[in-house]
Amino acid sequence: MDGRRTTVRDMRRSNRSVILTSIYRQGPLSRYELGHETSLSAASVSNLVGELLDEGIVEEAGSVESDGGRPRVLLRVAPSFGYVVGAEVGETRVRVELFDLAMTVLATVVYPIETPKPAPELAVKYVLQGLDAVITQAGVPAERVLGLGVAVAGVVEGPADAVVHAQTLGWDGVPLGAMLAAGTSIPIQVDNGANTLGQAEMWFGAGRGATDAVVALVGSGVGAALVTGGTSYRGTRSSAGEWGHTTIMYGGRRCRCGAEGCLEAYVGAEGVLDRYRLAGGPAARSDDDEAAFIGLLGAVDSSEVAAKVVEDTIGYLAAGFANLVNLVNPERIVLGGWAGLLLGERYLAELREAVGKHALHRPYAQVTIELCELGRDAVALGAATLPVLRLLREGGTAKRVTTA
């Protein structure tokens, strides 16, 4: 009997998850539309929606005319039911943002990092400090924060326990999840930054509607989120997506990871700027890679050296995209990250053309290459989707923080 009760309870929670996810991802939706989207019976939809309305997770959001009957009431996830926080631990800064469930940003803090390889303790300090700051800034009760999602570079084993291996940061087996959890009662989840960017773009941006896609992050480092059948592919131990450390040139430039010829060494901002200096560009090393990268792009029309470096960068990036086209056969590739967007905003047409020269004709004809729609700071937004995803998976039963 216990087994049967557990099965029934699990099935009900699963159906709540299906309903809630449909409303969140595709809403506002009517009960009639929910029935078609979820294949659940009208009675099940009505009962489950009634529960969610009573609990305040879902709310009415107007109505639409129906064919000959009464207007259909639309439903959406209540934005103020709870709040989520997303943090991006980058190489030059830690960014922390607080959102409502409509993913409207309500508060933001940014902490600059002076060293390219911050100690894990410094990252933890800034994330937790930022968590307190955005809660205070937004004026929301801490007990209404559903969770904190944290995006980092490198391989993350176990989003909850979160042991991080990030060679470019000098982190080897850092128990980041436990370190963060020791400083707050708010639930913590950690993931790779490319994965969080990918989830955000698939939910709210240029990836919407695609079931097989790659979301590429090109900043100081390079990574990618691989989405197959609508689900992120993570590999055996969550290290899939380290596209930046695929070899683009045998015996080539030494990458920050220690290997030779990695794609990141050629298209990551640090690698591009280093190639520019070695080719005769400005010798002074800027502490602000983004400003230096913008300067490089601005010099293209007046400097043959700058023009050649940028042309080669587009070529290397196109070859990397062609490898993805041939290996993964995605229907869409989305280019994001601050350096990726700076390049794509100027050279997307050239990039698409160059990919076609490297990729097999048939899979290239089946793919579209687009720019990230959520902007340069979408990684923190993507991190904030981690606790939202938990809420949806648990059918709205994810516990909020309790305070003594």
Side-chain angles (χ1 to χ4, degrees), residues 237-282:
R237 296 297 297 272
S238 300
S239 69
E242 289 293 337
W243 170 61
H245 300 290
T246 55
T247 302
I248 200 73
M249 182 175 293
Y250 173 74
R253 290 171 48 81
R254 183 166 293 278
C255 179
R256 298 183 303 168
C257 73
E260 294 180 345
C262 292
L263 179 65
E264 182 175 299
Y266 292 88
V267 305
E270 187 176 304
V272 173
L273 293 172
D274 190 48
R275 288 194 294 110
Y276 186 33
R277 286 188 289 272
L278 292 174

Side-chain angles (χ1 to χ4, degrees), residues 8-28:
V8 170
R9 185 165 57 248
D10 287 348
M11 183 174 294
R12 189 169 192 81
R13 185 171 66 178
S14 175
N15 288 342
R16 279 175 58 109
S17 174
V18 168
I19 289 284
L20 193 58
T21 300
S22 294
I23 294 174
Y24 189 82
R25 297 282 303 277
Q26 299 161 28

Side-chain angles (χ1 to χ4, degrees), residues 309-322:
V309 169
V310 171
E311 179 185 357
D312 287 347
T313 300
I314 296 299
Y316 291 128
L317 183 57
F321 275 2

Side-chain angles (χ1 to χ4, degrees), residues 32-116:
Y32 176 80
E33 290 170 321
L34 278 170
H36 278 268
E37 289 289 336
T38 64
S39 299
L40 295 173
S41 69
S44 293
V45 169
S46 180
N47 289 336
L48 293 170
V49 166
E51 284 182 11
L52 295 170
L53 284 167
D54 289 343
E55 294 166 16
I57 306 173
V58 167
E59 65 182 16
E60 295 182 354
S63 61
V64 293
E65 295 296 324
S66 62
D67 297 331
R70 292 183 300 175
R72 292 177 180 148
V73 175
L74 296 176
L75 304 163
R76 69 174 182 180
V77 172
S80 60
F81 173 75
Y83 303 90
V84 291
V85 178
E88 175 192 3
V89 177
E91 297 179 28
T92 60
R93 66 181 184 179
V94 171
R95 183 184 188 90
V96 185
E97 295 186 311
L98 184 142
F99 304 82
D100 64 16
L101 290 184
M103 302 315 289
T104 301
V105 61
L106 303 180
T108 302
V109 294
V110 178
Y111 302 102
I113 294 176
E114 302 299 330
T115 170

